């Protein structure tokens, strides 16, 4: 059983995180979560409200200026709002309401909806952009104090951060990550917020342990860079990035083959020694690994992965990209672990 606040998760009955679409239920929960951040001052540092009558110098933060927050949000994520609908013209060219039509009907210009309307679900990319925007500005107040003079209100204080040198998440960032991940997990959504406070794709559920523990340390900086770059692109929300990840992973696979003895005419001997070390003394397993290496090499050559001539087959779907990527990264991970080239 896993640690979770919910029994169904602890009992292994929770939803598999396979959906890459933000559902209506998840969107409603997300808007509630962000509205909570507005109300509790977690966005007040970036969008401060100064409403204390005893502070004409505007140095005391009393909350989040929700209007400023929403203006900035809609400027950065404009697809969250629907533009007003223009009035239908009447027969004389005037707006319908002045041409004898009753006002208040659907032909009258409508106000744009709130960007945090829980009943109006945007497309998934837009919903995830909302999370990225909030993550850029979130910060948990370190002190709250009540001020009852004139009218009841709260003063908020924040810890100073060096955003250029601080590598650890602030408490507000960490809590936002946790809450969004819990919300997405409960709704079976295959996205999360990474250590860089950006939304990323989880990848196929069967590959999650493999992805989370993938930390190559081969002694070859160029190979490590290729492998890490491929993994980052694979977790992208963009399908084109994931196709690119497949090509980069196969390039890294070819370089991996030369780890033992270098390239050129020694490549076959290098592969042989690599497989022997990875097999841990089992000849049948070594034969299996050798067959898998040959199959993976053929896949890279036969599909538009390493070569793009007209006689090569395209990888047909995103699901096929996931399958091939996970298949190769599984083989690479095993070889790196068994040869002491994966960081613990």
């Amino acid at each position: 059983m896993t640690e979770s606040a919910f029994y169904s998760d602890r009992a292994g009955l929770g939803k598999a995180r396979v959906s890459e679409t933000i559902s209506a239920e998840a969107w409603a929960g997300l808007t509630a979560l962000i509205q909570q951040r507005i109300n509790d001052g977690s966005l007040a540092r970036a969008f401060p409200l100064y409403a204390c009558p005893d502070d004409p110098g505007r140095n005391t933060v009393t909350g989040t200026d929700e209007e400023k927050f929403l203006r900035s949000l809609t400027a950065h994520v404009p697809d969250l709002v629907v533009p007003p609908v223009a009035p239908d013209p009447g027969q004389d060219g005037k707006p319908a309401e002045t041409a004898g039509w009753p006002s208040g009907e659907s032909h009258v210009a409508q106000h744009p909806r709130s960007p945090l309307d829980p009943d109006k679900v945007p497309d998934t990319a837009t919903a995830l952009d909302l999370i990225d925007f909030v993550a850029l500005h979130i910060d948990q107040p370190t002190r709250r104090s009540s001020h009852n003079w004139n009218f009841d209100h709260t003063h908020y204080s924040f810890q100073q951060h060096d955003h250029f040198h601080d590598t650890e998440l602030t408490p507000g960032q960490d809590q936002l990550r946790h809450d969004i991940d819990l919300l997405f997990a409960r709704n079976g959504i295959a996205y999360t917020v990474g250590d860089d406070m950006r939304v990323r794709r989880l990848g196929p559920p069967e590959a999650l342990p493999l992805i989370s523990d993938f930390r190559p340390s081969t002694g070859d900086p160029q190979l490590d860079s290729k492998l890490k770059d491929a993994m980052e692109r694979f977790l992208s929300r963009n399908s084109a990035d994931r196709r690119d990840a497949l090509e980069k992973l196969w390039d890294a696979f070819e370089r991996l083959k030369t780890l033992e003895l270098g390239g050129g005419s020694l490549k076959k001997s290098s592969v042989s020694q690599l497989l022997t070390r990875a097999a841990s003394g089992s000849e049948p397993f070594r034969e299996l690994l050798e067959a898998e290496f040959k199959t993976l090499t053929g896949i890279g050559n036969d599909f538009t992965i390493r070569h793009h001539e007209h006689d090569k087959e395209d990888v047909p779907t995103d699901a096929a990209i996931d399958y091939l990527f996970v298949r190769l990264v599984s083989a690479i991970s095993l070889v790196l672990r068994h040869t002491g080239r994966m960081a613990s």
Side-chain angles (χ1 to χ4, degrees):
M1 299 204 308
T2 59
E3 292 299 323
S4 173
F6 293 89
Y7 172 79
S8 57
D9 291 335
R10 297 194 301 273
L13 302 175
K15 291 184 178 181
R17 296 180 71 170
V18 296
S19 174
E20 295 191 6
T21 301
I22 300 297
S23 64
E25 294 80 8
W27 171 251
L30 181 60
T31 57
L33 188 154
I34 293 173
Q35 189 65 55
Q36 181 185 35
R37 267 32 183 213
I38 294 172
N39 296 342
D40 70 10
S42 294
L43 291 163
R45 183 172 196 158
F47 305 97
L49 178 68
Y50 303 101
C52 180
D54 293 337
D55 181 27
R58 294 169 62 84
N59 295 310
T60 304
V61 177
T62 58
T64 303
D65 189 325
E66 186 167 355
E67 184 177 354
K68 286 182 180 177
F69 168 76
L70 293 177
R71 283 178 186 166
S72 184
L73 172 61
T74 53
H76 287 84
V77 193
D79 288 344
L80 275 173
V81 294
V82 176
V85 179
D88 294 333
Q91 292 181 352
D92 57 359
K94 296 180 180 180
E97 61 204 87
T98 61
W101 293 87
S103 61
E105 301 295 334
S106 61
H107 60 270
V108 178
Q110 300 173 358
H111 295 292
R113 63 178 172 85
S114 165
L116 297 180
D117 187 339
D119 297 321
K120 301 293 184 181
V121 185
D123 63 85
T124 294
T126 300
L128 298 179
D129 280 347
L130 166 63
I131 296 173
D132 280 344
F133 178 84
V134 172
L136 281 172
H137 300 98
I138 199 76
D139 197 1
Q140 185 172 291
T142 54
R143 185 170 179 268
R144 296 177 173 87
S145 58
S146 297
H147 189 200
N148 300 323
W149 181 255
N150 204 332
F151 72 96
D152 288 343
H153 58 280
T154 302
H155 292 176
Y156 295 92
S157 301
F158 298 87
Q159 182 178 344
Q160 293 299 318
H161 301 294
D162 184 348
H163 294 288
F164 290 101
H165 298 98
D166 290 348
T167 56
E168 294 186 1
L169 298 180
T170 67
Q173 290 173 325
D174 193 51
Q175 189 63 49
L176 180 71
R177 282 186 65 205
H178 173 271
D179 291 349
I180 289 177
D181 195 63
L182 178 60
L183 174 67
F184 282 1
R186 294 297 297 166
N187 286 273
I189 294 173
Y191 292 102
T192 190
V193 178
D195 293 339
D196 57 358
M197 292 304 292
R198 295 180 179 179
V199 174
R200 64 176 178 84
R201 179 174 172 261
L202 281 177
E206 61 273 12
L208 294 186
L210 179 68
I211 292 170
S212 63
D213 293 334
F214 191 74
R215 291 185 289 273
S217 180
T218 66
D220 178 350
Q222 187 173 341
L223 176 57
D224 289 348
S225 178
K226 286 178 178 290
L227 290 169
K228 292 174 183 176
D229 185 36
M231 184 61 75
E232 288 176 4
R233 291 174 186 271
F234 178 64
L235 297 177
S236 169
R237 289 145 51 182
N238 189 322
S239 177
D241 286 343
R242 300 203 290 272
R243 287 183 177 270
D244 193 30
L246 201 60
E247 296 180 18
K248 291 185 178 299
L249 186 66
W250 248 267
D251 287 344
F253 178 48
E254 292 303 314
R255 189 173 180 88
L256 171 79
K257 295 175 183 178
T258 67
L259 267 179
E260 294 293 325
L261 298 174
S265 61
L266 297 177
K267 187 174 183 179
K268 287 186 178 180
S269 298
S270 179
V271 172
S272 179
Q273 290 193 25
L274 193 66
L275 293 174
T276 299
R277 290 185 62 191
S280 302
S282 171
E283 185 59 28
F285 189 61
R286 187 195 181 286
E287 292 175 359
L288 185 152
L289 281 178
E290 185 175 13
E292 181 69 353
F293 263 47
K294 289 180 179 178
T295 299
L296 291 167
T297 299
I299 290 171
N301 291 331
D302 295 340
F303 288 85
T304 52
I305 297 175
R306 298 197 64 238
H307 306 285
H308 296 271
E309 293 88 346
H310 287 289
D311 62 338
K312 304 303 178 184
E313 293 290 332
D314 289 332
V315 182
T317 63
D318 286 347
I321 290 173
D322 284 353
Y323 165 75
L324 292 178
F325 189 96
V326 171
R327 180 171 177 174
L328 178 54
V329 86
S330 296
I332 290 174
S333 293
L334 184 142
V335 168
L336 293 184
R337 290 188 191 286
H338 283 205
T339 60
R341 292 183 170 104
M342 188 76 84
S344 58

